[in-house]
Amino acid sequence: MNALPPAVEMRGIVKRFPGVVANDHVDLTVQAGQIHALLGENGAGKSTLMNVLAGLYRPDAGEIRIHGQPVEIRSPRDATRLGIGMVHQHFMLVQPQTVAENIILGLSRPRFRLDMRTIEAQIRELSARYGLEVDPTAYIWQLSVGEQQRVEILKMLYRGADILILDEPTAVLTPQESEELGRTLRHMVQEGRTIIFITHKLDEVMAFSDRVTVLRRGQKVADLVTAETSKRELARQMVGREVVFYIDRSEYPVQDEVKAKARPLLVVENLSALSDKGLPALRGISFEVYPYEILGIAGVAGNGQRELAEVITGLRPATGGRILLCERDATNKPPRHAIDLGLSHIPEDRMHTGLIASMTVCDNLILKEYRRPLLSRLGFLVQRAIALFSDRLIREFEIATPSRDTQLKSLSGGNLQRALLAREIASGGNLMVAVHPTRGLDIGATEWVQRKLLEQRQKGAAILLISEDLDELLAVSDRIAVMYEGKIMGIVPAQEAHVEEIGLMMAGVIPERRGV
Ligand SMILES: Nc1ncnc2c1ncn2[C@@H]1O[C@H](COP(=O)(O)OP(=O)(O)OP(=O)(O)O)[C@@H](O)[C@H]1O
Ligand SMILES: [Mg+2]
């Protein structure tokens, strides 16, 4: 039997940016009706390659065939016409519009002829068919990140995409949502569609994909059949060395006597706050974080974790209770106050709260430093000191950037995170609030960040670590507090914690015999 031609064939794709070859003669063959995973470290060139396929970038060299036919993809419109649709790493939805309006946005049919009712019905039908539940009349700003992603996928399906590209679709999802997405993707390929998905999570690659292509530093290094490989092999291909999956905390010892004498650097007392929608998000939360300690906060997204981080860092008002930073009252003070007390913050949303995309790498690195005497003498920023300071951070934190004067937005996702961590660790005192610090990072970089957190702890920092990744929490925390519906269900020492027990608390059940 003569097999179908591959859905996608990319040959010798070259894409250069100033100072980098993002894709260096890359070949990629994706069989129709399969789920194909694209793996690689941060900055390996995955998003670039897919942006070429989606018509956002013109390659400097190379050929593309779609279902066996040679094609030129000059614009996203060309890609749509060829049945290629992409859901980007950073979503591109219009917040003040409804789901249905977003889905038809940019379609070339005359808008006045469109009947919203019919469109909404069509969307509902697609939603039901693929288990992508979302209300077509809801406004985007009302939706959770997981729901927004469903809108992006529905948008592609509505346009008739039969080759779907998903750039790190699960980086923003809870474990349950990720599993659901996996089932949806399976369903789509059973109907004959083709899916390319980029991820850093090897469990997902093993669970959902048929084949895997690995990129390293812009080049293709492996094409594998998922069933014939392993997580370890994939990790080795990606990073080019053996990778430790879990860090041994005993490599970062802390003296118990020193720790015992310490006073807490962060005290949260009976804290309450409201969500964006004006509903109670924190309902009387209390805990302390001591020097030489990482307190992990576990919980399913949306149970108050984000609000907690925002109230502590001064970005959201408290409606009750008290916060002490380094033994000083910091309740309802501006963010500058917390920064002056030495608080570092790795926010959930790097692009909007953490970094300024249109500024250079260097400017982002010194954002919090400009008041330092060395860097700003008599109010003038001393150029040479700044250059030295930022080059040191770029080196020390291994930020892959052509130079300090590169615009931040051209860095890859993982390198953005490194820049943020570099600035926060360099500027910070002894107190850090880290929200999903390893989200979107490759395994090598995840290991690196976790080690940085443990190093800070070993130097005496108090760290509040908010994460949805239980393995991560168990690996690096000293104690784990579980949040559910704005309350703390319990706090357990990480070494004695059981995954099942924490899982129950995450679902709102207080296990028996557990004191706090
Ligand atoms: N628009 C751009 N301008 C300049 N350089 C870019 C641009 N887009 C990407 N690059 C560079 O190309 C290289 C590959 O980036 P790309 O975003 O494709 O990586 P990635 O594999 O998707 O990484 P991540 O896992 O971190 O998202 C990086 O060095 C990045 O800095
Ligand atoms: Mg990317």
Side-chain angles (χ1 to χ4, degrees), residues 47 89 167-168:
S47 295
Q89 204 165 357
D167 195 348
E168 291 195 39

Side-chain angles (χ1 to χ4, degrees), residues 17 20 22 42-48 57 89 168 200 410-414:
F17 291 113
V20 245
N42 295 127
K46 307 176 296 291
S47 295
T48 302
Y57 294 157
Q89 204 165 357
E168 291 195 39
H200 291 296
S410 65
L411 260 54
S412 83

Side-chain angles (χ1 to χ4, degrees), residues 37-213:
L38 192 54
L39 268 180
E41 289 186 283
N42 295 127
K46 307 176 296 291
S47 295
T48 302
L49 187 68
M50 290 302 104
N51 282 329
V52 166
L53 188 57
L56 283 155
Y57 294 157
R58 294 300 310 273
D60 298 306
E63 293 165 14
I64 302 176
R65 284 167 189 261
I66 299 296
H67 299 302
Q69 298 299 315
V71 295
E72 285 274 341
I73 307 176
R74 292 191 191 83
S75 67
R77 203 168 277 263
D78 283 352
T80 306
R81 209 174 300 129
L82 291 163
I84 301 166
M86 177 160 174
V87 177
H88 293 272
Q89 204 165 357
H90 307 286
F91 297 160
M92 298 182 169
L93 298 170
V94 185
Q95 298 285 328
Q97 293 194 348
T98 68
V99 169
E101 284 166 349
N102 266 277
I103 288 175
I104 58 166
L105 194 76
L107 286 181
S108 49
R109 279 177 270 164
R111 281 196 73 169
F112 57 90
R113 300 266 299 276
L114 292 179
D115 166 11
M116 259 347 225
R117 283 275 166 74
T118 316
I119 292 162
E120 284 163 17
Q122 288 169 339
I123 294 169
R124 283 207 179 85
E125 194 201 325
L126 270 179
S127 290
R129 187 152 129 220
Y130 293 101
L132 293 161
E133 215 172 294
V134 62
D135 174 5
T137 63
Y139 288 92
I140 300 299
W141 58 265
Q142 295 176 312
L143 304 181
S144 72
V145 180
E147 289 168 323
Q148 294 190 26
Q149 182 177 64
R150 285 181 220 150
V151 178
E152 292 274 19
I153 297 173
L154 283 169
K155 186 165 148 186
M156 298 308 144
L157 293 173
Y158 190 85
R159 276 148 213 243
D162 83 325
I163 298 170
L164 272 99
I165 306 163
L166 299 148
D167 195 348
E168 291 195 39
T170 58
V172 293
L173 301 184
T174 63
Q176 290 88 334
E177 285 175 324
S178 302
E179 249 175 62
E180 261 169 50
L181 178 68
R183 281 196 292 274
T184 304
L185 299 185
R186 270 274 145 240
H187 187 166
M188 288 181 192
V189 293
Q190 275 156 13
E191 292 196 341
R193 293 181 210 265
T194 305
I195 290 165
I196 307 176
F197 86 104
I198 300 178
T199 183
H200 291 296
K201 298 181 191 161
L202 298 178
D203 289 322
E204 284 171 8
V205 174
M206 298 308 291
F208 300 127
S209 73
D210 300 296
R211 283 173 166 270
V212 193
T213 294

Side-chain angles (χ1 to χ4, degrees), residues 429-506:
N430 280 328
L431 186 53
M432 181 185 277
V433 173
V435 188
H436 309 308
T438 58
R439 201 180 243 182
L441 295 189
D442 63 54
I443 23 177
T446 296
E447 180 191 317
W448 181 88
V449 168
Q450 293 174 346
R451 286 186 188 282
K452 283 279 170 211
L453 293 178
L454 285 166
E455 271 170 31
Q456 291 302 107
R457 163 184 173 272
Q458 196 180 18
K459 288 182 193 156
I463 301 175
L464 184 72
L465 170 64
I466 298 180
S467 174
E468 274 157 29
D469 183 342
L470 263 188
D471 292 328
E472 167 164 287
L473 288 171
L474 289 166
V476 304
S477 316
D478 294 274
R479 293 183 297 144
I480 299 178
V482 185
M483 276 185 83
Y484 176 72
E485 294 196 338
K487 292 197 187 122
I488 291 198
M489 301 297 288
I491 302 182
V492 294
Q495 274 166 346
E496 298 164 23
H498 296 292
V499 175
E500 303 79 49
E501 184 184 26
I502 294 180
L504 277 176
M505 290 197 273
M506 282 167 68

